[in-house]
Amino acid sequence: MKRTSRDIRTANRYEVLRQIIAESPTSRQELAAATGLSLATVATLVGELLDLRMITEVGFEDSAGGRPRGLVAVNASGGALIGVDIAETYVHVELFDLALNVLARADEDMRPGESLPEQVVSHVAAAVGSVVAQAGIEGARVLGVGVSVPGQVNRDTGISEYAPNWDWHDVPLLDLLSEVIAYPLYLDNPLRAGAVAEMWFGAARGRGDAVVVNLGTGVGAGLALGGGLYRGVSNSAGEWGHTTLVLDGRLCRCGNHGCVEAYVGAPGIMLNLRELSPQSPLLHPEDQTATIDALARGVSAGDPVAVKVVRETARYVGAGIANLVNVLNPEIVVLSSWVARSLGEPLLHEVREAVGRHALPRPMAATRIVLSPIPTDPACLGAATFALEGALQSVGQRKAPSAKRAAPARAGRTAPPS
Amino acid sequence: MKRTSRDIRTANRYEVLRQIIAESPTSRQELAAATGLSLATVATLVGELLDLRMITEVGFEDSAGGRPRGLVAVNASGGALIGVDIAETYVHVELFDLALNVLARADEDMRPGESLPEQVVSHVAAAVGSVVAQAGIEGARVLGVGVSVPGQVNRDTGISEYAPNWDWHDVPLLDLLSEVIAYPLYLDNPLRAGAVAEMWFGAARGRGDAVVVNLGTGVGAGLALGGGLYRGVSNSAGEWGHTTLVLDGRLCRCGNHGCVEAYVGAPGIMLNLRELSPQSPLLHPEDQTATIDALARGVSAGDPVAVKVVRETARYVGAGIANLVNVLNPEIVVLSSWVARSLGEPLLHEVREAVGRHALPRPMAATRIVLSPIPTDPACLGAATFALEGALQSVGQRKAPSAKRAAPARAGRTAPPS
Ligand SMILES: [Zn+2]
Ligand SMILES: [Zn+2]
């Protein structure tokens, strides 16, 4: 919670690597200009990243009248990162190079009823094995595996404290995963994974205070405040989905009434549709994705029921986002996850109008509201980024980036000898 | 927004002085143990504070078997700080020594209609003159004057961007004040003043993430996150009073419907009472303070109407605080300002129950909810603390703490030659 000089050094290391990933090749001078760090600090951090083989020297550029400047670029093949997105109905896994290009993907569907931790873990292990095999890389080059699992997560102990979709309580997920996956493991939830993905590669890059609103089956907000991920005292900040918007309103699955999620989570949107038009052909009672996609197509086609449902949903989303704008005064609000992607620009347009009706003018004027620009699964990308951050955080604690058994203190977990 | 090494040094300086104010006399070793800083860092910071004459050497204590340890204590008479609380109906000013003892107080009542900036400024000048005269100190020993004014404040430019009570727009308040007050001036609003007071001297001291909920005529939340004051991108974070709790509910003075403030600001509480019992003798239609005090006495006496109004009010406060608990996952929530002080323990009890009904169990379990332990006006104390922080922030920028004309960059404003 309290930030130390060590946190600052780690944050600076992230920032330099972020900049190199965004703009390769680049010089130390350009990095200093882009990050606001001193040239001496940049030189030190670049040296560390070169030692880790995360970046390489790629030649020189002329500088006007001066000595040629050394250029560095991200060393895409210097290692691999794996992101795991565990959702209610599927496990999605992507393997990235260090430039965060996707080299391989694997999906595992989970059948209804498949909710035991051991079942989920075996799907994850299969998909991780699949992407490593597809990419044809040596295991030693995998720097780490980030895992996103819904609900309350204790990232230090690796325990899934509460997963509402499966009613998990205190499942030692990282211990179970480490029995079948021999790479350093990092656990967190999709809200924080989404926020980190936006901070590194998306709309929150270079923004001081950002809110990443996840609109999916469940809803919540990842908070990137003061240039870093905000977690709260027990790593459960961001439960915007369970803030009360309509006192004594609809019953929510959390037991409270009138939560944001009860109106704007995918099941809530289906209920909005059912209340407006019980017999609507847009409604696929057992299929959230099909219903949301039908709504999106309906809006494109000018179907008045679809338009009205999206407007009504946006009214709730907008009032809820206005609450975040008033409390947090962010520079940017990013709409992410599959419902936001499916409903897209029409939803964004209505949400902006609704936020404008509810937020105070001053914080409203300071805020932009955008759709996530990340084209792939943000939870996967964010989870992989946790693994990248883990590797960067352990600088000085271990020499080679692939030393699988070194345990970075508190940052992640490492596989036991297997 | 992004924190630098310089911010960390400033924060460490605050922390060491906070600890010395809390526990004088103390040794460098004890300070290192209490703050988690290295002995070398503590020694440097103590040296700076000695140079500023904010603390003094006060002797030695034996250490078991080792050399005697030098003791330092706050130098109460090393300077004076003035806090100004500008409210809707009064200006309250206190003068503090460096141990933050109140040496003098002055109050100025503002008549209804007295709302021009010049009128407010002349009240402030009179009260500041009065406390300096009462305390019998030399002007040169006043390190600074912190000013708390309601609404949206730009602390860098010293402009009151919007004060809802007087409908001020973009009033250059600090320029106006500096024409009549010849001390360094620091401007902010009561939400942030209250939060800083709790961080330095109250219930948030030593807590990582804290929310200070102000319950007065207006309501809002000061946010102390990650050990520092959270301001948002344009210094307007914390407008919890204007978050929607009852979609399409009561009209609020901000123009939105169903805001927290519409139900729990003093006028909202009066409306709660009127709706329940239009002819209640507890109601003093033109006097918020008298009505709230009557409710407090009524609850003590077991008056069923008073009990019911406080319970109903607490239900709104509690649901609103649950929203903050779910989004921010704070370690502590502090209830502050005059309505909270007047309604006291009975309100606290009902609020705790209500938060428990609305918040998620995990963040709820990590949070304590308490009344502010600060016995005096928290906005005054917090405003004076802004002046103290300004003096500490300017270390290295000027030699003597009383050099009135040195302009601490961005932190505050200084009087022109007069
Ligand atoms: Zn809920
Ligand atoms: Zn309002």
Side-chain angles (χ1 to χ4, degrees):
Chain A
M1 301 175 303
K2 195 167 69 174
R3 296 189 76 183
T4 64
S5 316
R6 187 159 187 282
D7 296 332
I8 295 276
R9 278 198 303 275
T10 300
N12 289 344
R13 206 175 287 134
Y14 293 176
E15 179 114 354
V16 166
L17 182 58
R18 262 200 288 264
Q19 187 61 28
I20 296 172
I21 291 173
E23 309 253 0
S24 277
T26 184
S27 66
R28 291 163 182 78
Q29 289 78 4
E30 285 170 348
L31 288 169
T35 60
L37 298 169
S38 74
L39 191 55
T41 300
V42 167
T44 303
L45 297 173
V46 164
E48 289 172 357
L49 294 170
L50 286 167
D51 287 346
L52 287 169
R53 294 184 208 143
M54 287 185 169
I55 63 174
T56 52
E57 307 266 13
V58 292
F60 294 88
E61 69 173 2
D62 287 335
S63 69
R67 284 191 304 173
R69 292 171 168 178
L71 294 173
V72 294
V74 65
N75 178 20
S77 60
L81 301 161
I82 295 174
V84 178
D85 175 15
I86 303 177
E88 308 222 10
T89 56
Y90 61 86
V91 170
H92 184 64
V93 174
E94 295 181 351
L95 185 145
F96 301 84
D97 67 18
L98 282 190
L100 277 297
N101 301 306
V102 178
L103 300 187
R105 286 196 175 85
D107 281 294
E108 297 267 323
D109 284 332
M110 285 188 290
R111 281 177 297 279
E114 271 196 306
S115 65
L116 290 179
E118 292 72 16
Q119 294 172 318
V120 172
V121 162
S122 79
H123 282 298
V124 172
V128 167
S130 166
V131 292
V132 173
Q134 285 177 58
I137 61 160
E138 289 172 53
R141 284 180 43 222
V142 176
L143 300 184
V145 179
V147 179
S148 161
V149 68
Q152 303 286 312
V153 168
N154 186 325
R155 63 196 289 265
D156 296 331
T157 60
I159 288 174
S160 164
E161 295 184 334
Y162 177 56
N165 39 325
W166 303 306
D167 203 32
W168 284 3
H169 293 267
D170 294 318
V171 170
L173 190 60
L174 220 53
D175 281 343
L176 295 172
L177 287 166
S178 71
E179 286 172 16
V180 288
I181 296 173
Y183 310 118
L185 288 161
Y186 302 87
L187 188 70
D188 217 313
N189 83 3
L191 298 183
R192 281 177 285 277
V196 164
E198 296 296 337
M199 283 169 64
W200 274 80
F201 309 107
R205 207 168 85 77
R207 308 280 175 172
D209 301 315
V211 172
V212 181
V213 168
N214 270 34
L215 299 175
T217 303
V219 310
L223 309 178
L225 308 182
L229 193 61
Y230 177 79
R231 300 180 169 280
V233 68
S234 58
N235 199 37
S236 74
E239 291 292 351
W240 170 73
H242 301 288
T243 59
T244 302
L245 185 62
V246 186
L247 197 69
D248 303 323
R250 264 188 204 167
L251 180 63
C252 178
R253 63 174 168 170
C254 76
N256 188 27
H257 285 263
C259 288
V260 170
E261 184 173 298
Y263 297 88
V264 312
I269 298 174
M270 290 170 76
L271 187 50
N272 298 344
L273 170 57
R274 190 176 289 124
E275 286 184 353
L276 184 73
S277 174
Q279 305 302 326
S280 170
L282 301 170
L283 191 65
H284 299 66
E286 298 300 315
D287 193 335
Q288 297 175 13
T289 317
T291 305
I292 300 297
D293 286 347
L295 279 170
R297 283 192 307 271
V299 170
S300 299
D303 172 3
V305 169
V307 168
K308 200 159 176 193
V309 168
V310 169
R311 181 166 299 156
E312 181 72 0
T313 300
R315 191 168 80 94
Y316 294 108
V317 174
I321 288 177
N323 286 355
L324 294 172
V325 167
N326 285 349
V327 169
L328 294 173
N329 185 206
E331 194 175 350
I332 192 161
V333 177
V334 186
L335 306 187
S336 183
S337 200
W338 66 271
V339 169
R341 190 163 48 233
S342 177
L343 298 178
E345 288 290 339
L347 176 74
L348 176 66
H349 176 76
E350 296 286 345
V351 165
R352 281 183 178 147
E353 300 267 313
V355 177
R357 287 196 301 274
H358 290 280
L360 293 176
R362 302 269 158 172
M364 184 66 204
T367 297
R368 294 179 55 220
I369 305 171
V370 302
L371 292 172
S372 171
I374 295 172
T376 56
D377 177 345
C380 260
L381 179 60
T385 307
F386 281 126
L388 178 59
E389 289 190 347
L392 286 175
Q393 212 163 15
S394 62
V395 171
Q397 295 178 22
R398 54 181 185 179
K399 267 283 178 275
S402 57
K404 286 199 302 251
R405 302 214 175 122
R410 294 173 54 93
R413 296 282 296 268
T414 304
S418 54
Chain B
M1 300 174 302
K2 195 166 70 172
R3 295 188 76 183
T4 64
S5 317
R6 187 158 186 284
D7 297 332
I8 295 276
R9 278 198 302 276
T10 299
N12 289 344
R13 207 176 286 134
Y14 293 176
E15 179 115 355
V16 166
L17 182 58
R18 261 200 288 265
Q19 187 62 28
I20 295 173
I21 291 174
E23 310 251 0
S24 276
T26 183
S27 65
R28 291 164 182 77
Q29 290 77 7
E30 284 170 349
L31 288 168
T35 60
L37 299 169
S38 75
L39 191 54
T41 300
V42 167
T44 303
L45 298 172
V46 164
E48 289 172 357
L49 294 170
L50 285 167
D51 288 347
L52 288 169
R53 297 189 205 138
M54 287 184 170
I55 63 174
T56 52
E57 307 265 14
V58 293
F60 294 89
E61 69 173 2
D62 287 336
S63 70
R67 285 192 302 172
R69 292 171 166 178
L71 293 174
V72 294
V74 65
N75 179 19
S77 59
L81 301 161
I82 295 173
V84 177
D85 175 15
I86 303 178
E88 308 221 13
T89 57
Y90 63 84
V91 170
H92 184 64
V93 174
E94 294 181 353
L95 184 144
F96 300 85
D97 67 18
L98 282 190
L100 277 298
N101 301 306
V102 179
L103 299 187
R105 288 196 172 85
D107 281 294
E108 296 267 322
D109 284 333
M110 284 188 291
R111 283 176 297 278
E114 271 196 304
S115 65
L116 289 179
E118 292 72 16
Q119 294 171 317
V120 172
V121 163
S122 78
H123 282 298
V124 172
V128 167
S130 167
V131 292
V132 173
Q134 284 176 59
I137 60 160
E138 289 172 55
R141 285 178 43 220
V142 176
L143 300 184
V145 178
V147 178
S148 161
V149 67
Q152 303 285 312
V153 167
N154 186 325
R155 63 197 289 265
D156 296 332
T157 60
I159 289 174
S160 164
E161 295 184 334
Y162 177 55
N165 38 325
W166 303 305
D167 204 32
W168 284 4
H169 294 267
D170 294 320
V171 170
L173 190 59
L174 220 52
D175 281 344
L176 295 173
L177 286 167
S178 71
E179 288 172 15
V180 288
I181 296 174
Y183 310 116
L185 288 160
Y186 303 87
L187 188 70
D188 217 314
N189 83 3
L191 297 183
R192 281 177 285 277
V196 164
E198 296 296 336
M199 283 170 64
W200 273 80
F201 310 107
R205 207 168 84 77
R207 308 279 174 173
D209 301 315
V211 172
V212 181
V213 168
N214 270 33
L215 299 176
T217 302
V219 310
L223 309 178
L225 308 182
L229 193 60
Y230 177 80
R231 300 180 169 280
V233 69
S234 58
N235 199 36
S236 74
E239 292 291 350
W240 170 73
H242 301 287
T243 59
T244 302
L245 185 62
V246 186
L247 197 69
D248 303 324
R250 263 187 205 168
L251 180 63
C252 179
R253 62 174 168 171
C254 76
N256 187 29
H257 284 262
C259 289
V260 170
E261 183 174 298
Y263 298 89
V264 314
I269 297 174
M270 290 169 76
L271 187 49
N272 298 343
L273 170 56
R274 190 176 288 123
E275 286 184 352
L276 184 73
S277 173
Q279 304 301 326
S280 171
L282 300 169
L283 191 66
H284 299 66
E286 298 300 316
D287 192 336
Q288 296 175 14
T289 318
T291 305
I292 300 297
D293 287 346
L295 279 170
R297 283 192 307 272
V299 170
S300 299
D303 172 6
V305 169
V307 168
K308 200 158 175 193
V309 169
V310 169
R311 181 167 298 156
E312 182 72 0
T313 300
R315 191 168 81 94
Y316 295 108
V317 174
I321 288 178
N323 286 356
L324 294 172
V325 167
N326 284 349
V327 169
L328 294 173
N329 184 205
E331 194 175 349
I332 192 161
V333 177
V334 185
L335 305 188
S336 182
S337 200
W338 66 270
V339 169
R341 191 164 47 233
S342 177
L343 297 178
E345 288 290 339
L347 177 74
L348 176 67
H349 177 76
E350 296 286 344
V351 165
R352 280 183 178 147
E353 300 268 312
V355 178
R357 288 196 300 274
H358 291 280
L360 293 176
R362 302 270 158 172
M364 183 66 204
T367 296
R368 293 179 56 219
I369 304 171
V370 301
L371 291 172
S372 170
I374 295 173
T376 56
D377 177 345
C380 260
L381 179 61
T385 308
F386 281 126
L388 178 60
E389 290 190 347
L392 287 175
Q393 212 162 14
S394 62
V395 172
Q397 295 178 22
R398 54 181 182 179
K399 266 286 177 272
S402 57
K404 286 200 303 256
R405 304 220 172 116
R410 293 172 54 92
R413 296 280 298 268
T414 305
S418 56

